[in-house]
Amino acid sequence: MLKATGLRDMVFVSVTKGIENDTLKRMSEVVAEVLGDIPIAVLSGPTIALEVVNGVPTTAVASSLDIDIAKGVQDIFLTESFRVYANSDVVGVELGGALKNIIAIAAGITDGLGFGTNAKAALLTRGLVEIARLGAAMGAKRETFYGLSGLGDLTTTCISPYSRNRWLGEEIGRGKRLKDVLKETEMVVEGVATAQSAFELSKKYRVEMPITAEVYNVLYKNKNPKQAVRDLMTRSPKTESE
Amino acid sequence: MLKATGLRDMVFVSVTKGIENDTLKRMSEVVAEVLGDIPIAVLSGPTIALEVVNGVPTTAVASSLDIDIAKGVQDIFLTESFRVYANSDVVGVELGGALKNIIAIAAGITDGLGFGTNAKAALLTRGLVEIARLGAAMGAKRETFYGLSGLGDLTTTCISPYSRNRWLGEEIGRGKRLKDVLKETEMVVEGVATAQSAFELSKKYRVEMPITAEVYNVLYKNKNPKQAVRDLMTRSPKTESE
């Protein structure tokens, strides 16, 4: 199925996450812009590289609009320690992988403020609700955000001490300013740019994203993180589906 | 709304989790059996007690078949540091709170085997998929399992070093037998009994629950945990919604 006899017969597998600022394009859209009409798949999920190398059991999702291409990629990467699931909801897979970094920053902020597990679990859960809400408005399936590329990846990011996004949030929660934290690392902290893109997407699609808005305010408007948490906690009472 | 002028005007708020062995009843069903025709609500979520006492931001869900009763309970418990969401899917809230303990045991087993974050994220994600699948077959809403009483509570249980269910799994993963681990504690490890109930429910409702089945096999049939993980990783390739 996946012959490499020419550019048109190849499948491009994207493993990059993010939403381009200004254009608000997903990574596979950027790839298509450059490479033109070539089948594109996305491989995403809770896959900390060091653990994959060490053969620790890991799962991921291979996604393509054409489920047969997704299954072809699934087939190529499947091993006894790397279990791949197929999924045809590319929009959901890419959005989940990108947007979860905002929630990881928020989780880091609560760590920096000295909060506990309850707060982190709340952010993770309510964060996914608003990400899925935006995704649905953009044509993705809600359930994809609760799959490996969304919830799964978010879990590793929130747990792992190595997550750059969580680390940045923690420094912000301790009272540092964004520009000072960014000076401390040469690595790209994806969630910072993604928070801006997501904030604009939430306005464009008129979707309520309270956590994303507060992360945006803290990062870009120097809002006090404690006040941001307080504002999140004292919103009007909601049902769980709101 | 919530007057206490007599037993019939009271609302019973259950904060107990589990599924009764043999009868396979949820806790509010057991309460109704004893107290008869009285309005029942359930309060559940990622609420580690010590953190709640310390005023750390915490969220929970108040659930009742009658959404007005749920909102009444929400209103009573709501504070600046304890944010309550209302939900009318009692079946989903109770099942999520009980069944997540099985996944916590599985997460502990991977810890005991020395696995990493990728494996834990996979278990959490795929565990919720199968719990939601059983729940849907039993009349619950899938989305409830991705709310605070399901995903939220599961997250704290999997992260927290204090979770008894995760601890028990870790001991099992290190090679101990269930009866020896249970001798080490006087506390009730809810997930052990729930794994048996869930295993029976999965047969009764003909729902595929591979992680629950392996936890059951490891706990009750002395299956080698490593083999259980290997069997989970080498199942036939699936799409994410399977």
Tab-separated table of all heavy atoms in Angstrom, chain A residues 135-188:
chain	number	residue	atom	x	y	z
A	135	GLY	N	-12.303	22.072	19.206
A	135	GLY	CA	-12.098	21.089	18.143
A	135	GLY	C	-13.388	20.765	17.411
A	135	GLY	O	-13.428	20.710	16.174
A	136	ALA	N	-14.460	20.563	18.183
A	136	ALA	CA	-15.752	20.244	17.566
A	136	ALA	C	-16.186	21.381	16.644
A	136	ALA	O	-16.695	21.144	15.544
A	136	ALA	CB	-16.801	19.982	18.649
A	137	ALA	N	-15.960	22.624	17.087
A	137	ALA	CA	-16.327	23.779	16.259
A	137	ALA	C	-15.484	23.837	14.991
A	137	ALA	O	-15.897	24.407	13.983
A	137	ALA	CB	-16.164	25.068	17.064
A	138	MET	N	-14.279	23.239	15.027
A	138	MET	CA	-13.400	23.255	13.872
A	138	MET	C	-13.534	21.982	13.027
A	138	MET	O	-12.742	21.756	12.112
A	138	MET	CB	-11.945	23.435	14.332
A	138	MET	CG	-11.679	24.807	14.960
A	138	MET	SD	-9.989	24.969	15.610
A	138	MET	CE	-9.016	24.977	14.091
A	139	GLY	N	-14.495	21.133	13.358
A	139	GLY	CA	-14.767	19.960	12.529
A	139	GLY	C	-14.137	18.666	13.012
A	139	GLY	O	-14.209	17.643	12.327
A	140	ALA	N	-13.524	18.682	14.186
A	140	ALA	CA	-12.931	17.455	14.724
A	140	ALA	C	-13.967	16.683	15.535
A	140	ALA	O	-15.021	17.208	15.878
A	140	ALA	CB	-11.736	17.799	15.612
A	141	LYS	N	-13.649	15.408	15.816
A	141	LYS	CA	-14.527	14.618	16.676
A	141	LYS	C	-14.108	14.809	18.133
A	141	LYS	O	-12.930	14.693	18.469
A	141	LYS	CB	-14.400	13.126	16.338
A	141	LYS	CG	-15.000	12.730	15.018
A	141	LYS	CD	-14.911	11.213	14.854
A	141	LYS	CE	-15.251	10.800	13.441
A	141	LYS	NZ	-14.702	9.465	13.120
A	142	ARG	N	-15.087	15.045	18.996
A	142	ARG	CA	-14.777	15.210	20.413
A	142	ARG	C	-13.987	14.030	20.962
A	142	ARG	O	-13.052	14.189	21.743
A	142	ARG	CB	-16.073	15.323	21.230
A	142	ARG	CG	-16.553	16.741	21.382
A	142	ARG	CD	-17.898	16.770	22.114
A	142	ARG	NE	-18.578	18.012	21.812
A	142	ARG	CZ	-18.438	19.128	22.518
A	142	ARG	NH1	-17.661	19.134	23.582
A	142	ARG	NH2	-19.055	20.225	22.175
A	143	GLU	N	-14.358	12.798	20.595
A	143	GLU	CA	-13.744	11.616	21.208
A	143	GLU	C	-12.245	11.525	20.923
A	143	GLU	O	-11.505	10.915	21.685
A	143	GLU	CB	-14.454	10.343	20.746
A	143	GLU	CG	-14.303	10.056	19.268
A	143	GLU	CD	-15.137	8.854	18.801
A	143	GLU	OE1	-16.366	8.922	18.888
A	143	GLU	OE2	-14.532	7.857	18.362
A	144	THR	N	-11.800	12.154	19.820
A	144	THR	CA	-10.367	12.118	19.513
A	144	THR	C	-9.551	12.789	20.610
A	144	THR	O	-8.444	12.351	20.932
A	144	THR	CB	-10.097	12.805	18.162
A	144	THR	OG1	-10.855	12.136	17.150
A	144	THR	CG2	-8.621	12.740	17.798
A	145	PHE	N	-10.113	13.836	21.203
A	145	PHE	CA	-9.387	14.564	22.249
A	145	PHE	C	-9.251	13.730	23.517
A	145	PHE	O	-8.409	13.998	24.355
A	145	PHE	CB	-10.071	15.902	22.529
A	145	PHE	CG	-10.041	16.807	21.327
A	145	PHE	CD1	-11.098	16.817	20.418
A	145	PHE	CD2	-8.930	17.565	21.062
A	145	PHE	CE1	-11.051	17.603	19.279
A	145	PHE	CE2	-8.869	18.353	19.923
A	145	PHE	CZ	-9.939	18.377	19.030
A	146	TYR	N	-10.108	12.711	23.646
A	146	TYR	CA	-10.016	11.820	24.788
A	146	TYR	C	-9.226	10.562	24.439
A	146	TYR	O	-9.223	9.596	25.183
A	146	TYR	CB	-11.420	11.488	25.300
A	146	TYR	CG	-12.112	12.738	25.804
A	146	TYR	CD1	-13.156	13.328	25.106
A	146	TYR	CD2	-11.657	13.359	26.963
A	146	TYR	CE1	-13.755	14.494	25.560
A	146	TYR	CE2	-12.244	14.528	27.420
A	146	TYR	CZ	-13.292	15.089	26.715
A	146	TYR	OH	-13.864	16.249	27.169
A	147	GLY	N	-8.566	10.595	23.297
A	147	GLY	CA	-7.741	9.472	22.867
A	147	GLY	C	-6.270	9.714	23.180
A	147	GLY	O	-5.913	10.612	23.946
A	148	LEU	N	-5.414	8.925	22.548
A	148	LEU	CA	-3.986	8.943	22.876
A	148	LEU	C	-3.307	10.259	22.521
A	148	LEU	O	-2.422	10.724	23.228
A	148	LEU	CB	-3.297	7.782	22.159
A	148	LEU	CG	-3.769	6.398	22.638
A	148	LEU	CD1	-3.327	5.314	21.667
A	148	LEU	CD2	-3.246	6.111	24.044
A	149	SER	N	-3.733	10.880	21.403
A	149	SER	CA	-3.068	12.122	20.973
A	149	SER	C	-3.506	13.328	21.809
A	149	SER	O	-2.807	14.336	21.841
A	149	SER	CB	-3.386	12.391	19.502
A	149	SER	OG	-4.791	12.418	19.308
A	150	GLY	N	-4.636	13.218	22.494
A	150	GLY	CA	-5.114	14.305	23.341
A	150	GLY	C	-4.841	13.985	24.807
A	150	GLY	O	-3.784	14.287	25.343
A	151	LEU	N	-5.816	13.310	25.428
A	151	LEU	CA	-5.685	12.935	26.840
A	151	LEU	C	-4.383	12.200	27.136
A	151	LEU	O	-3.691	12.494	28.115
A	151	LEU	CB	-6.885	12.060	27.229
A	151	LEU	CG	-6.787	11.292	28.536
A	151	LEU	CD1	-6.591	12.233	29.711
A	151	LEU	CD2	-8.027	10.436	28.741
A	152	GLY	N	-4.034	11.225	26.279
A	152	GLY	CA	-2.828	10.429	26.526
A	152	GLY	C	-1.587	11.298	26.591
A	152	GLY	O	-0.808	11.239	27.554
A	153	ASP	N	-1.428	12.122	25.576
A	153	ASP	CA	-0.249	12.982	25.515
A	153	ASP	C	-0.270	14.011	26.643
A	153	ASP	O	0.761	14.315	27.260
A	153	ASP	CB	-0.208	13.677	24.149
A	153	ASP	CG	1.194	14.075	23.760
A	153	ASP	OD1	2.128	13.848	24.549
A	153	ASP	OD2	1.369	14.621	22.656
A	154	LEU	N	-1.450	14.535	26.938
A	154	LEU	CA	-1.580	15.513	28.023
A	154	LEU	C	-1.156	14.906	29.357
A	154	LEU	O	-0.507	15.558	30.182
A	154	LEU	CB	-3.030	16.018	28.097
A	154	LEU	CG	-3.366	17.003	29.222
A	154	LEU	CD1	-2.459	18.227	29.175
A	154	LEU	CD2	-4.817	17.424	29.157
A	155	THR	N	-1.526	13.642	29.567
A	155	THR	CA	-1.168	12.968	30.817
A	155	THR	C	0.347	12.916	30.990
A	155	THR	O	0.871	13.280	32.048
A	155	THR	CB	-1.747	11.533	30.841
A	155	THR	OG1	-3.143	11.606	30.614
A	155	THR	CG2	-1.479	10.864	32.167
A	156	THR	N	1.063	12.476	29.952
A	156	THR	CA	2.527	12.411	30.090
A	156	THR	C	3.083	13.806	30.338
A	156	THR	O	3.965	13.984	31.168
A	156	THR	CB	3.238	11.869	28.828
A	156	THR	OG1	2.869	12.651	27.715
A	156	THR	CG2	2.911	10.427	28.585
A	157	THR	N	2.560	14.782	29.620
A	157	THR	CA	3.085	16.140	29.748
A	157	THR	C	2.881	16.685	31.159
A	157	THR	O	3.733	17.392	31.694
A	157	THR	CB	2.392	17.067	28.719
A	157	THR	OG1	2.457	16.436	27.444
A	157	THR	CG2	3.097	18.388	28.625
A	158	CYS	N	1.724	16.364	31.757
A	158	CYS	CA	1.449	16.874	33.098
A	158	CYS	C	2.217	16.112	34.174
A	158	CYS	O	2.534	16.652	35.227
A	158	CYS	CB	-0.050	16.814	33.393
A	158	CYS	SG	-0.990	18.058	32.486
A	159	ILE	N	2.486	14.836	33.934
A	159	ILE	CA	3.193	14.016	34.928
A	159	ILE	C	4.703	14.202	34.813
A	159	ILE	O	5.410	14.320	35.807
A	159	ILE	CB	2.890	12.501	34.734
A	159	ILE	CG1	1.411	12.184	34.974
A	159	ILE	CG2	3.753	11.674	35.674
A	159	ILE	CD1	1.077	10.716	34.723
A	160	SER	N	5.186	14.215	33.591
A	160	SER	CA	6.627	14.135	33.366
A	160	SER	C	7.385	15.345	33.900
A	160	SER	O	7.015	16.489	33.647
A	160	SER	CB	6.899	14.002	31.870
A	160	SER	OG	8.281	14.156	31.629
A	161	PRO	N	8.480	15.087	34.629
A	161	PRO	CA	9.313	16.211	35.084
A	161	PRO	C	10.074	16.851	33.923
A	161	PRO	O	10.632	17.927	34.070
A	161	PRO	CB	10.275	15.559	36.082
A	161	PRO	CG	10.268	14.110	35.761
A	161	PRO	CD	8.960	13.798	35.117
A	162	TYR	N	10.089	16.185	32.763
A	162	TYR	CA	10.881	16.681	31.633
A	162	TYR	C	10.110	17.610	30.707
A	162	TYR	O	10.667	18.161	29.778
A	162	TYR	CB	11.437	15.507	30.817
A	162	TYR	CG	12.219	14.546	31.663
A	162	TYR	CD1	11.727	13.274	31.923
A	162	TYR	CD2	13.427	14.931	32.246
A	162	TYR	CE1	12.438	12.391	32.732
A	162	TYR	CE2	14.135	14.057	33.051
A	162	TYR	CZ	13.635	12.788	33.285
A	162	TYR	OH	14.327	11.933	34.090
A	163	SER	N	8.798	17.760	30.936
A	163	SER	CA	8.017	18.585	30.016
A	163	SER	C	8.449	20.051	30.093
A	163	SER	O	8.426	20.669	31.154
A	163	SER	CB	6.529	18.470	30.351
A	163	SER	OG	5.830	19.555	29.757
A	164	ARG	N	8.824	20.604	28.952
A	164	ARG	CA	9.240	22.014	28.920
A	164	ARG	C	8.056	22.934	29.196
A	164	ARG	O	8.197	23.983	29.813
A	164	ARG	CB	9.821	22.359	27.536
A	164	ARG	CG	11.032	21.566	27.163
A	164	ARG	CD	11.608	22.056	25.854
A	164	ARG	NE	10.708	21.850	24.726
A	164	ARG	CZ	10.566	20.713	24.078
A	164	ARG	NH1	11.252	19.643	24.441
A	164	ARG	NH2	9.739	20.606	23.057
A	165	ASN	N	6.882	22.551	28.702
A	165	ASN	CA	5.700	23.388	28.900
A	165	ASN	C	5.305	23.454	30.377
A	165	ASN	O	5.018	24.523	30.904
A	165	ASN	CB	4.538	22.859	28.053
A	165	ASN	CG	4.811	23.035	26.568
A	165	ASN	OD1	4.820	24.138	26.057
A	165	ASN	ND2	5.065	21.929	25.866
A	166	ARG	N	5.324	22.297	31.026
A	166	ARG	CA	5.000	22.263	32.456
A	166	ARG	C	6.034	23.071	33.241
A	166	ARG	O	5.705	23.844	34.142
A	166	ARG	CB	4.951	20.815	32.959
A	166	ARG	CG	4.083	20.588	34.186
A	166	ARG	CD	4.541	19.369	34.972
A	166	ARG	NE	5.962	19.442	35.265
A	166	ARG	CZ	6.503	20.208	36.212
A	166	ARG	NH1	5.739	20.964	36.961
A	166	ARG	NH2	7.813	20.232	36.395
A	167	TRP	N	7.303	22.912	32.888
A	167	TRP	CA	8.397	23.640	33.557
A	167	TRP	C	8.215	25.154	33.412
A	167	TRP	O	8.329	25.900	34.388
A	167	TRP	CB	9.752	23.201	32.955
A	167	TRP	CG	10.868	24.140	33.304
A	167	TRP	CD1	11.578	24.154	34.475
A	167	TRP	CD2	11.386	25.211	32.497
A	167	TRP	NE1	12.502	25.166	34.444
A	167	TRP	CE2	12.417	25.831	33.246
A	167	TRP	CE3	11.087	25.703	31.226
A	167	TRP	CZ2	13.134	26.919	32.759
A	167	TRP	CZ3	11.807	26.784	30.743
A	167	TRP	CH2	12.815	27.387	31.502
A	168	LEU	N	7.918	25.603	32.193
A	168	LEU	CA	7.720	27.037	31.977
A	168	LEU	C	6.583	27.559	32.848
A	168	LEU	O	6.692	28.606	33.486
A	168	LEU	CB	7.421	27.313	30.496
A	168	LEU	CG	7.142	28.793	30.177
A	168	LEU	CD1	8.015	29.284	29.026
A	168	LEU	CD2	5.670	29.026	29.854
A	169	GLY	N	5.479	26.799	32.903
A	169	GLY	CA	4.350	27.200	33.738
A	169	GLY	C	4.759	27.320	35.198
A	169	GLY	O	4.373	28.261	35.895
A	170	GLU	N	5.564	26.357	35.654
A	170	GLU	CA	5.998	26.368	37.057
A	170	GLU	C	6.788	27.643	37.368
A	170	GLU	O	6.578	28.273	38.410
A	170	GLU	CB	6.832	25.120	37.347
A	170	GLU	CG	7.122	24.947	38.825
A	170	GLU	CD	7.699	23.571	39.164
A	170	GLU	OE1	7.738	22.690	38.285
A	170	GLU	OE2	8.118	23.384	40.317
A	171	GLU	N	7.683	28.027	36.474
A	171	GLU	CA	8.481	29.247	36.672
A	171	GLU	C	7.577	30.484	36.709
A	171	GLU	O	7.768	31.397	37.493
A	171	GLU	CB	9.525	29.390	35.555
A	171	GLU	CG	10.563	28.272	35.523
A	171	GLU	CD	11.514	28.354	36.701
A	171	GLU	OE1	12.289	29.321	36.789
A	171	GLU	OE2	11.462	27.446	37.550
A	172	ILE	N	6.579	30.491	35.828
A	172	ILE	CA	5.617	31.602	35.795
A	172	ILE	C	4.817	31.639	37.097
A	172	ILE	O	4.601	32.696	37.690
A	172	ILE	CB	4.647	31.450	34.591
A	172	ILE	CG1	5.410	31.460	33.256
A	172	ILE	CG2	3.547	32.509	34.631
A	172	ILE	CD1	5.804	32.816	32.739
A	173	GLY	N	4.402	30.456	37.549
A	173	GLY	CA	3.640	30.358	38.797
A	173	GLY	C	4.433	30.865	39.991
A	173	GLY	O	3.879	31.354	40.977
A	174	ARG	N	5.751	30.727	39.909
A	174	ARG	CA	6.623	31.209	41.004
A	174	ARG	C	6.822	32.719	40.947
A	174	ARG	O	7.504	33.296	41.774
A	174	ARG	CB	7.985	30.524	40.912
A	174	ARG	CG	7.937	29.067	41.316
A	174	ARG	CD	9.324	28.572	41.701
A	174	ARG	NE	9.245	27.192	42.148
A	174	ARG	CZ	9.894	26.199	41.580
A	174	ARG	NH1	10.704	26.424	40.566
A	174	ARG	NH2	9.764	24.974	42.041
A	175	GLY	N	6.278	33.348	39.890
A	175	GLY	CA	6.316	34.814	39.857
A	175	GLY	C	7.220	35.413	38.787
A	175	GLY	O	7.335	36.635	38.680
A	176	LYS	N	7.872	34.558	37.987
A	176	LYS	CA	8.728	35.115	36.931
A	176	LYS	C	7.900	35.614	35.752
A	176	LYS	O	6.778	35.165	35.532
A	176	LYS	CB	9.713	34.042	36.448
A	176	LYS	CG	10.797	33.741	37.465
A	176	LYS	CD	11.898	32.911	36.833
A	176	LYS	CE	12.891	32.447	37.909
A	176	LYS	NZ	13.747	31.367	37.443
A	177	ARG	N	8.510	36.516	34.986
A	177	ARG	CA	7.853	37.013	33.780
A	177	ARG	C	8.237	36.133	32.595
A	177	ARG	O	9.332	35.570	32.565
A	177	ARG	CB	8.322	38.447	33.501
A	177	ARG	CG	7.829	39.405	34.579
A	177	ARG	CD	7.046	40.509	33.933
A	177	ARG	NE	6.292	41.230	34.940
A	177	ARG	CZ	5.837	42.457	34.766
A	177	ARG	NH1	6.068	43.095	33.619
A	177	ARG	NH2	5.142	43.050	35.693
A	178	LEU	N	7.358	36.058	31.595
A	178	LEU	CA	7.575	35.180	30.443
A	178	LEU	C	8.927	35.414	29.776
A	178	LEU	O	9.676	34.469	29.512
A	178	LEU	CB	6.440	35.371	29.425
A	178	LEU	CG	6.556	34.552	28.131
A	178	LEU	CD1	6.545	33.053	28.431
A	178	LEU	CD2	5.424	34.883	27.155
A	179	LYS	N	9.269	36.677	29.514
A	179	LYS	CA	10.500	36.944	28.756
A	179	LYS	C	11.737	36.482	29.531
A	179	LYS	O	12.715	36.019	28.941
A	179	LYS	CB	10.603	38.421	28.353
A	179	LYS	CG	10.740	39.427	29.491
A	179	LYS	CD	10.929	40.834	28.893
A	179	LYS	CE	11.354	41.871	29.923
A	179	LYS	NZ	10.631	41.900	31.195
A	180	ASP	N	11.687	36.543	30.872
A	180	ASP	CA	12.823	36.087	31.675
A	180	ASP	C	12.932	34.563	31.653
A	180	ASP	O	14.025	34.004	31.602
A	180	ASP	CB	12.692	36.596	33.114
A	180	ASP	CG	12.717	38.128	33.167
A	180	ASP	OD1	13.507	38.728	32.408
A	180	ASP	OD2	11.945	38.709	33.942
A	181	VAL	N	11.784	33.885	31.686
A	181	VAL	CA	11.803	32.419	31.655
A	181	VAL	C	12.327	31.938	30.298
A	181	VAL	O	13.132	31.012	30.227
A	181	VAL	CB	10.389	31.839	31.907
A	181	VAL	CG1	10.423	30.316	31.878
A	181	VAL	CG2	9.834	32.336	33.236
A	182	LEU	N	11.890	32.585	29.236
A	182	LEU	CA	12.311	32.169	27.891
A	182	LEU	C	13.814	32.366	27.704
A	182	LEU	O	14.449	31.626	26.944
A	182	LEU	CB	11.522	32.929	26.818
A	182	LEU	CG	10.043	32.541	26.695
A	182	LEU	CD1	9.325	33.401	25.655
A	182	LEU	CD2	9.885	31.058	26.350
A	183	LYS	N	14.387	33.351	28.412
A	183	LYS	CA	15.844	33.583	28.326
A	183	LYS	C	16.624	32.421	28.926
A	183	LYS	O	17.782	32.199	28.584
A	183	LYS	CB	16.200	34.867	29.093
A	183	LYS	CG	16.193	36.128	28.221
A	183	LYS	CD	16.673	37.341	29.036
A	183	LYS	CE	15.993	38.603	28.560
A	183	LYS	NZ	15.878	39.615	29.634
A	184	GLU	N	15.974	31.677	29.865
A	184	GLU	CA	16.676	30.603	30.578
A	184	GLU	C	16.857	29.344	29.735
A	184	GLU	O	17.565	28.426	30.135
A	184	GLU	CB	15.904	30.217	31.848
A	184	GLU	CG	15.961	31.271	32.937
A	184	GLU	CD	15.077	30.863	34.122
A	184	GLU	OE1	14.960	29.656	34.403
A	184	GLU	OE2	14.491	31.763	34.743
A	185	THR	N	16.152	29.253	28.603
A	185	THR	CA	16.235	28.023	27.807
A	185	THR	C	16.433	28.342	26.336
A	185	THR	O	15.958	29.355	25.832
A	185	THR	CB	14.959	27.160	27.976
A	185	THR	OG1	15.085	25.999	27.161
A	185	THR	CG2	13.706	27.924	27.561
A	186	GLU	N	17.149	27.447	25.667
A	186	GLU	CA	17.301	27.604	24.218
A	186	GLU	C	16.278	26.741	23.477
A	186	GLU	O	16.181	26.790	22.261
A	186	GLU	CB	18.725	27.212	23.789
A	186	GLU	CG	19.759	28.209	24.286
A	186	GLU	CD	21.159	27.875	23.780
A	186	GLU	OE1	21.338	26.760	23.240
A	186	GLU	OE2	22.046	28.725	23.923
A	187	MET	N	15.543	25.931	24.259
A	187	MET	CA	14.559	25.056	23.641
A	187	MET	C	13.301	25.855	23.291
A	187	MET	O	13.012	26.890	23.882
A	187	MET	CB	14.191	23.957	24.620
A	187	MET	CG	15.429	23.213	25.114
A	187	MET	SD	15.345	21.481	24.757
A	187	MET	CE	14.648	20.893	26.278
A	188	VAL	N	12.567	25.323	22.327
A	188	VAL	CA	11.290	25.932	21.980
A	188	VAL	C	10.220	25.406	22.940
A	188	VAL	O	10.066	24.204	23.105
A	188	VAL	CB	10.895	25.596	20.523
A	188	VAL	CG1	9.505	26.142	20.210
A	188	VAL	CG2	11.919	26.156	19.564
